[in-house]
Each structure stands twice: as C-alpha cells, then as structure tokens.
Amino acid sequence: MTTQNTPSPESTKTWSGRFNEPVSELVKRYTASVFFDHRMAAQDIRGSLAHARMLARQGILSGDDLAAIERGMSQIADEIARGDFQWNLDDEDVHLNIEKRLIALIGDAGKRLHTGRSRNDQVATDIRLWLRETIDDILELIIVFQCRLLDVAEAHAATPMPGFTHLQVAQPVTFGHHLLAYYEMARRDFERFTDCRRRVNHLPLGAAALAGASYPIDRESVAAELGFDEVCRNSMDAVSDRDFAIEFCAAAALLMTHLSRLSEEIIFWMSPRVSFIDLADRFCTGSSIMPQKKNPDVPELVRGKTGRVNGHLMALLTLMKGQPLAYNKDNQEDKEPLFDTADTVIDTLRIYADMIGGIRVKPDGMRVALAQGHATATDLADYLVKKGLPFRDAHEAVARAVRAAEERGLDLSRLNLGELRTALTHVPGAAERLDEGALTAISIEGSLCARAHIGGTAPDAVRAAITRARDELGVQKGA
Ligand code: ARG
C-alpha cells in the first residue's frame, strides 16, 4: 500500500470543502481504515455497480454514465486483482479510494456514482456482503469437519474408552460415541451460523447517511441484484446497528469454545500418562531442549485462539453499547475484530478437519484405563435392579463390592461370581440375585451394548447415529 506522508496544504480530501486546514499526519493515520477495509474491495465494487444500475433504471443516471462506471469499475477490479491498485492513506477508506480512482478514470460520471448514497449505507452493505460470503465458507468447512468426525467415529464405533465425569473414570463409552458429541455441537454451530446469515442478508443501501434518499430509488431491485433477501426497513437502524456482526462473533465464539474443549481432550489423550491417541507429527512440534518431546501445539493454539475470538465478541459488544443513533465513526472499529474472528475460525476449521482425520487411536491405552476405575459398577447395580432389588439397595450393595475390590487392588470386573456374592452379603437380597448373567453385564462390551437406544453408546446405536448424520448432511461415507 502506498501512502503519501506529506499532507498537501490544500487538502484533496473528498469531504474537505468546509475545512480550513488539513488533518495532521497522526489524525490521518488514526482515522483511516484503508489498511484493513481494502479487503472488502470486491464487495464495494459490486455494491456500487448495483447502485449505479438502479440509478440508471430509475432515470437518475444516464445510460452513458452507467456504461462509463461499469467500464471504470471493471478496470479497477483488474488493477486490484493484479496488485497494481494504489491504495492511498489520504483517501481514508476502501470506499473513497475506489471512488477517487473511478473519477480519475472516467471523470464526471464517476462523480455521479455517489448520488443518493452515503458511505454509511455503503459500508454497512459491504460488510454484510462480505460476511455473507464468509459465513458460506464457514458452513462448508463445518461440514468437512463433521465428515471427518464421522469417519473416525465409524472406525471406532465399537472401541471402548472410559467416559469421564469430574475427570474420573465414570462408565465405558465408545470412542465413536465420544466424537459424536462433538458432531452434535458442530451441528448446532452450523444452525447458529445459518440463522445468523438470515439476518446478515438484509440490504442497507438506500438508507443513505441516515434519513434515506430524496431520489426515486428502487431498493428492492438493488437487493435482488445483490442477492439480499430483504431491504432493511428503517434507514437509521440500517446504517448504525452492527448486531449481525456481534451475532456472528457470538456464533464464532461458541464454535471455538467447542473446538477448544475438544483440543483440551486431545491434549489430555495425547499425554504419555494417558496415551489414548497420537496426533500426526505435522500437528506437533518438538522442544528445543528436551529431545523426547512431541507437543500438541495445534490443539493448544486452538485453545489459546479461542480467548482471542471471545475477546473480539466482547470488543464488538462494547463498541455498540454506548452509541446513539445513527452512524458513528466508532463503527469503523467493527472490522478488525470481525475479520480476525473469521480468519481464525476458517483457519481453525481447516486445520481441525485434517487433524481429526489423521488421528491415531490407541485402543490398548483406552482399555488399560477402563480396567482401573470400576467403570461398570453402575451396570452391576442395574443388574440387581432388573432382578428386583430397589435401586438404592443395589447402589449400596455395589458400593461395598467396589470397596472389597479396592482392598484387593482389583477392578470390580475382575471379581468372579463367588467373590462378587461374598462382597454383596452385607445388603439383604443382593447376593442371591446374582447369577452368571451379571458377569456379562459388568463386562465392558456388555455395558456398552446395553445402551442401544437413540443417543446411547452401544456400537450399533453409534453406527445408526452416523448413518443418520450422513443422511442429514447428504453425504456418503468418506465424503
Ligand atoms: N470507513 C468508514 C467505516 O468503516 C466508512 C463510513 C464513514 N462514514 C462517515 N460518515 N465518516 O465505518
């Protein structure tokens, strides 16, 4: 980006007519946004063209002027694409930079483009166009991430691992079932972005500075050309509120929060003390001092970047909260948090899909952990209940059996039928209800298979959930 560092005494700023002195260099830099808003150039040009075509249809602009504007904009788009466009700090933002260049290229026709429009409705339109495209990219990436989760979940629909509560071994689950929990979170994230997109997709143009335009404009036709579902219904609201951007950041913060939780688990699973999985080397780094280390940098950074996205949400909420109607320059500060949120989410989703797809599961490590926490104690209690013992008595009986197993340094599932009966004698009615079937019930596979309902962890239920998910996504296996 080229910048002119010496302010010219008779400032050439587009709005400088009423001013007696130019702004200082510092103020110029402080108030400019072209450093970051030039990334909305394509949307700015599309919005301008739709506006110009409407002006021509309505007889506000001549056909010749429109043709010149179309020609000029097409050249500008080429210059930007080639990297030849001279972005100029003196021209403040993406809108004025493009307009200035247009005027340089086509003269008076370029000066007529801004008829019935303000940068206030222009910038709101650009952001909405940009955000709509960004949401579409994110939605696609969520689906790719979901597909990779389903692939790994399918491969491990029957791989037992300990399910934790309070980070203590609780009950057996399958690794596939565990991953499907994240699939569900991603499904809701998808819904949130889809829902947010509906409110993003309203057209502000026509609101002009804040009060609307005094020309016979046709906003509906501009909306149709730009693919907006509706026009914003109140001109003051249209130029001022950024709630749609805040919603987007909230959806992004939740998505990142979900990925941060999964990252935390991956980091834990990968710890040599736990050893449930291994990540492909390309997602890890070594230590500059400890030769043995393989650190899960990518999931750690996802966890870290979640803080940054949460921060952007807070920044936008705070940006908005004190603003009276209508447009205020505060709103220029919406873009960097918004762009950074989108960039972070997009990079994170891309990297995550690949990382999950390449995860190496270590079923033996999971089995070892499962054999240590009396994970099927609840199944033994359930068994006694099914034989007629009240649940509270069954709970008490099994708690004593766990204590007996602990005393011998064994997992509950390692006791044989005789040992189990002895352990249960303290609770009347418990021991005599035990038979061979109890041993199946407290085996890992028995415990898993018993939970075959919708949402349960039984391998068949997991496979059914995967089939349903693929149907919903409209994808085939491996897609
Ligand atoms: N760069 C400005 C922004 O991002 C464009 C709108 C400027 N409007 C104005 N009245 N100064 O919000």
Side-chain angles (χ1 to χ4, degrees):
M1 180 176 317
T2 48
T3 56
Q4 289 170 359
N5 290 322
T6 37
S8 59
E10 69 288 5
S11 171
T12 53
K13 276 199 175 283
T14 308
W15 39 256
S16 61
R18 80 177 296 291
F19 289 79
N20 292 324
E21 58 173 3
V23 294
S24 76
E25 264 313 292
L26 179 58
V27 170
K28 197 188 337 174
R29 245 187 302 122
Y30 195 75
T31 53
S33 56
V34 65
F35 315 101
F36 46 85
D37 66 14
H38 69 94
R39 71 185 277 179
M40 302 190 306
Q43 291 76 17
D44 196 67
I45 292 174
R46 269 168 60 206
S48 288
L49 286 173
H51 177 68
R53 287 177 190 135
M54 180 278 289
L55 292 179
R57 276 195 302 277
Q58 299 299 102
I60 304 165
L61 195 70
S62 75
D64 287 350
D65 284 345
L66 173 62
I69 289 170
E70 288 179 327
R71 188 168 18 89
M73 284 300 194
S74 148
Q75 175 168 342
I76 291 171
D78 284 349
E79 288 172 1
I80 294 171
R82 282 200 310 270
D84 289 346
F85 190 88
Q86 300 290 302
W87 296 105
N88 192 341
L89 190 63
D90 275 327
D91 295 323
E92 219 175 299
D93 56 26
V94 61
H95 323 292
L96 293 181
N97 267 266
I98 291 178
E99 188 183 327
K100 195 98 178 250
R101 178 70 184 140
L102 185 70
I103 293 169
L105 288 172
I106 64 167
D108 281 356
K111 294 185 189 164
R112 294 198 177 98
L113 170 63
H114 213 52
T115 310
R117 182 179 79 166
S118 150
R119 272 186 297 158
N120 298 351
D121 57 347
Q122 188 178 356
V123 68
T125 302
D126 292 1
I127 305 172
R128 285 172 185 265
L129 280 172
W130 182 87
L131 195 52
R132 185 178 79 191
E133 289 164 28
T134 301
I135 291 174
D136 289 341
D137 291 344
I138 290 175
L139 291 175
E140 266 182 42
L141 288 170
I142 293 177
I143 293 178
V144 174
F145 169 60
Q146 288 179 305
C147 288
R148 293 296 80 78
L149 276 177
L150 292 178
D151 294 343
V152 183
E154 184 172 48
H156 294 282
T159 304
M161 74 179 281
F164 295 88
T165 58
H166 314 275
L167 216 47
Q168 316 259 340
V169 171
Q171 293 186 315
V173 295
T174 69
F175 187 57
H177 191 57
H178 195 120
L179 290 184
L180 288 187
Y182 287 98
Y183 174 88
E184 289 301 314
M185 295 177 221
R187 197 158 74 91
R188 293 191 296 276
D189 290 324
F190 187 94
E191 283 175 9
R192 267 185 285 273
F193 280 111
T194 307
D195 195 49
C196 169
R197 189 192 191 282
R198 288 197 302 120
R199 282 177 291 278
V200 167
N201 207 27
H202 293 180
L203 174 75
L205 268 183
L210 77 162
S214 61
Y215 304 88
I217 57 172
D218 174 7
R219 300 183 66 206
E220 264 91 3
S221 71
V222 179
E225 169 160 356
L226 292 174
F228 284 104
D229 296 326
E230 299 184 21
V231 298
C232 296
R233 294 186 195 175
N234 179 287
S235 62
M236 298 181 78
D237 176 45
V239 292
S240 69
D241 205 357
R242 297 290 183 265
D243 58 354
F244 62 91
I246 297 174
E247 266 191 63
F248 171 82
C249 287
L254 274 171
L255 170 82
M256 288 298 291
T257 296
H258 291 151
L259 294 179
S260 178
R261 295 186 66 192
L262 180 51
S263 297
E264 171 66 13
E265 302 219 75
I266 288 173
I267 294 160
F268 172 66
W269 294 337
M270 219 188 118
S271 157
R273 283 295 184 92
V274 177
S275 208
F276 286 1
I277 62 153
D278 204 3
L279 284 184
D281 286 356
R282 64 183 182 281
F283 300 106
C284 303
T285 59
S287 157
S288 55
I289 176 169
M290 297 165 284
Q292 84 284 11
K293 295 295 288 288
K294 176 175 168 184
N295 298 327
D297 283 31
V298 168
E300 285 173 11
L301 273 173
V302 171
R303 204 172 52 182
K305 284 174 192 288
T306 302
R308 155 185 188 145
V309 169
N310 290 353
H312 292 328
L313 169 61
M314 213 41 64
L316 289 194
L317 282 166
T318 311
L319 177 72
M320 206 70 242
K321 72 175 270 297
Q323 286 194 51
L325 285 174
Y327 176 85
N328 302 278
K329 188 82 165 185
D330 312 39
N331 274 346
Q332 182 166 288
E333 286 288 306
D334 64 355
K335 283 165 212 68
E336 286 163 294
L338 188 62
F339 293 158
D340 190 66
T341 298
D343 292 343
T344 307
V345 164
I346 285 174
D347 284 352
T348 303
L349 279 170
R350 279 209 185 110
I351 228 166
Y352 232 96
D354 194 17
M355 189 171 75
I356 288 292
I359 210 167
R360 190 166 71 80
V361 179
K362 297 171 156 177
D364 292 347
M366 294 178 176
R367 284 247 177 216
V368 169
L370 249 183
Q372 286 168 0
H374 313 290
T376 56
T378 311
D379 297 280
L380 184 57
D382 287 342
Y383 189 82
L384 293 170
V385 167
K386 286 168 197 164
K387 295 285 177 186
L389 199 66
F391 182 79
R392 281 286 155 239
D393 291 343
H395 186 282
E396 169 65 11
V398 176
R400 283 171 181 267
V402 167
R403 206 199 295 173
E406 285 272 290
E407 276 161 13
R408 297 180 49 199
L410 291 176
D411 187 76
L412 183 69
S413 61
R414 304 292 294 279
L415 301 184
N416 64 32
L417 196 54
E419 291 166 329
L420 277 175
R421 281 208 177 105
T422 310
L424 294 182
T425 46
H426 302 274
V427 175
E432 53 271 39
R433 287 188 159 90
L434 271 198
D435 56 24
E436 287 288 335
L439 298 181
T440 312
I442 65 170
S443 69
I444 302 298
E445 273 68 22
S447 169
L448 291 174
C449 290
R451 293 165 169 79
H453 53 79
I454 292 176
T457 191
D460 283 344
V462 172
R463 289 190 193 100
I466 292 168
T467 305
R468 189 172 349 110
R470 288 208 177 109
D471 282 351
E472 257 165 26
L473 292 179
V475 298
Q476 308 293 312
K477 180 178 169 167

